[in-house]
Amino acid sequence: MRSLSLFGATGSVGQSTLDLVRHDAASWQVSVLTAHSDVAGLAALAREFQVKLAVIADPSRYDELVAALAGTGIEVAAGPDALVDAAKHPVDLVVAAIVGIAGLAPTMAALEAGHNVALANKESLVSSGALMMQAARASGATILPIDSEHNAIFQCLTGSSLEDVRRIILTASGGPFRTKSAAEMAVMTPAQAVAHPNWSMGAKISVDSATMMNKGLELIEAHHLFPIGLEKIEILVHPQSVIHSLVEYRDRSTLAQLGSPDMRIPIASAMAWPRRMHAPCQPLDLTRIGRLDFEAPDEQRFPATALCRAAISEGGGRPAQLNAANEIAVAAFLAGKIGFTAIVDLVKHVMDHESPVAPTSLHDIFMVDAASRQHAQILMDAHAHG
Ligand code: NDP
């Protein structure tokens, strides 16, 4: 039996992870579950999986969680520091599935404690990739990517050396607006943006997929996880989301990983690594799918990937700045405060008008993050009143 802690249990990746545990209950002991504010959801899961510790990130919900778990013997904690402490809890695997920069501190704590981390929380790696990779190296922890593209690359690299890799090709579905013009995109609503054609995901990553910022963030993720040089990582639009990414070796052999677009498949691969586990997912039926299509990305209509490339090329605090501005912009779009195309415009504006300090610590990353959020907010307020 293996033990796991799951950060972001009430989210889309969290639910998929727990579904896998339900199907293989004899093999897993869930020790820690966390959520942000969904007390009812967290308490129900904590009871179902008989966890040792349940943490609610919003400290104002502590009493509610205590009441919801009264008489169960489950320990309860609240607040960002409690998340960090929970990440040090001794387990075989930490699943990092919080959305946004809020996942960074617990993920770093888990890596520093030497825990293997199944990583979905891409914003932490985007903002703080160098520090995270360094922490993993220092403690001997392994980062097992859950993002389907990086999980595919990780699988295609098994048994091989990065030195032999000529190219990594990150596939992208193109999102719900793949065929839309810039003018059509400008009037798209949050409901239309979160309606992803292939994947069922949380709201933030769904909007990121629609702007293609998600692919840009993934480019930065890949740059840290598989350091072969940014110029050797390419993006290929593949609307069916069946090939999850490809690795081309110097002998021109190209390996790809395929599967139905179901997050339980990459999650199962990370959970069971270096072995395999049963996943209750649809088998890949290529006869039914019939054809696979590919297109070059269009950076005129979707400028986010170019911004991400520029951010990682410049390095320093740029990726953290970009990530923070994007989080603010996506939240504003989802709240109906700005239009769809204003998301990437806002990120670009912040990057054009502020040079972040080069971070050397987590503290510095949080400073860059806060400054970028504040800048994005000021720009939005000025726009709203202008
Ligand atoms: P969801 O929005 O569905 O879930 C987010 C989870 O994080 C919830 O448990 C939420 O708690 C918790 N959370 C939110 N804000 C905070 C906070 N400030 N502090 C602590 N916990 C918080 O997101 P997804 O599951 O879609 O995505 C999670 C991560 O995985 C993201 O980084 C995303 O990019 C990545 N990812 C997701 C994929 C997917 O298919 N969904 C695919 C690949 C990567 P509560 O419910 O209480 O709000």
Side-chain angles (χ1 to χ4, degrees):
M1 193 175 242
R2 297 178 69 214
S3 57
L4 73 80
S5 295
L6 171 56
F7 289 74
T10 47
S12 167
V13 170
Q15 297 285 355
S16 294
T17 305
L18 292 174
D19 196 50
L20 289 166
V21 172
R22 280 188 194 101
H23 280 86
D24 195 9
S27 303
W28 294 97
Q29 161 70 52
V30 182
S31 297
V32 178
L33 290 179
T34 83
H36 177 240
S37 54
D38 181 359
V39 168
L42 178 61
L45 294 171
R47 283 173 182 269
E48 177 187 350
F49 291 95
Q50 298 280 300
V51 304
K52 296 194 172 96
L53 172 64
V55 184
I56 194 85
D58 178 351
S60 71
R61 303 291 176 103
Y62 176 72
D63 291 344
E64 242 180 286
L65 186 60
V66 169
L69 291 175
T72 59
I74 296 169
E75 191 187 334
V76 173
D81 291 347
L83 279 183
V84 169
D85 287 343
K88 300 172 191 163
H89 195 93
V91 281
D92 297 312
L93 184 69
V94 171
V95 180
I98 288 176
V99 62
I101 196 74
L104 175 57
T107 304
M108 273 296 272
L111 290 173
E112 282 167 359
H115 298 325
N116 287 349
V117 172
L119 184 76
N121 175 229
K122 64 185 77 186
E123 295 88 354
S124 58
L125 199 57
V126 167
S127 303
S128 194
L131 293 173
M132 276 175 63
M133 300 309 290
Q134 199 181 319
R137 269 194 304 274
S139 71
T142 301
I143 299 177
L144 302 156
I146 281 184
D147 222 344
S148 59
E149 295 76 2
H150 307 78
N151 183 269
I153 297 161
F154 189 85
Q155 293 195 48
C156 291
L157 286 170
T158 303
S160 299
S161 162
L162 278 183
E163 284 167 25
D164 290 329
V165 174
R166 186 189 289 267
R167 211 163 39 127
I168 284 177
I169 303 170
L170 276 178
T171 53
S173 70
F177 304 152
R178 180 175 60 89
T179 58
K180 301 277 186 252
S181 68
E184 286 170 318
M185 277 192 272
V187 293
M188 288 296 166
T189 64
Q192 288 169 307
V194 299
H196 196 280
N198 306 332
W199 298 95
S200 160
M201 308 182 287
K204 196 263 177 180
I205 184 175
S206 297
V207 175
D208 284 345
S209 296
T211 57
M212 296 275 291
M213 184 63 82
N214 183 49
K215 209 48 55 182
L217 300 180
E218 289 180 5
L219 196 67
I220 301 176
E221 251 191 297
H223 171 76
H224 290 296
L225 290 169
F226 315 113
I228 58 167
L230 194 57
E231 70 291 350
K232 293 183 185 165
I233 308 176
E234 295 175 13
I235 296 170
L236 174 69
V237 176
H238 163 44
Q240 290 93 350
S241 301
V242 167
I243 298 181
H244 298 303
S245 278
L246 309 95
V247 174
E248 182 187 272
Y249 287 94
R250 58 182 173 166
D251 61 5
R252 296 288 185 192
S253 278
T254 302
L255 300 195
Q257 186 265 346
L258 287 71
S260 306
D262 182 332
M263 278 306 292
R264 292 175 300 179
I265 299 174
I267 296 171
S269 157
M271 281 171 70
W273 180 84
R275 297 201 51 204
R276 298 277 176 177
M277 65 186 275
H278 169 74
C281 304
Q282 290 298 315
L284 184 63
D285 183 350
L286 287 173
T287 312
R288 188 184 55 75
I289 294 165
R291 55 183 273 181
L292 299 177
D293 296 301
F294 306 97
E295 297 164 11
D298 179 347
E299 290 196 338
Q300 293 298 318
R301 281 184 306 130
F302 296 100
T305 47
L307 279 187
C308 290
R309 219 175 257 281
I312 195 67
S313 297
E314 189 181 330
R318 279 288 184 216
Q321 179 192 45
L322 171 143
N323 177 70
N326 183 56
E327 286 193 30
I328 288 287
V330 171
F333 169 70
L334 285 170
K337 292 181 185 159
I338 61 171
F340 180 75
T341 42
I343 299 172
V344 177
D345 288 348
L346 187 72
V347 175
K348 183 170 182 330
H349 208 96
V350 171
M351 291 174 71
D352 284 348
H353 290 89
E354 191 169 289
S355 293
V357 295
T360 56
S361 67
L362 219 51
H363 174 78
D364 294 349
I365 297 281
F366 288 126
M367 298 283 283
V368 171
D369 179 88
S372 175
R373 278 167 200 273
Q374 197 181 11
H375 192 157
Q377 194 60 54
I378 289 168
L379 284 173
M380 281 193 303
D381 292 347
H383 185 73
H385 299 117

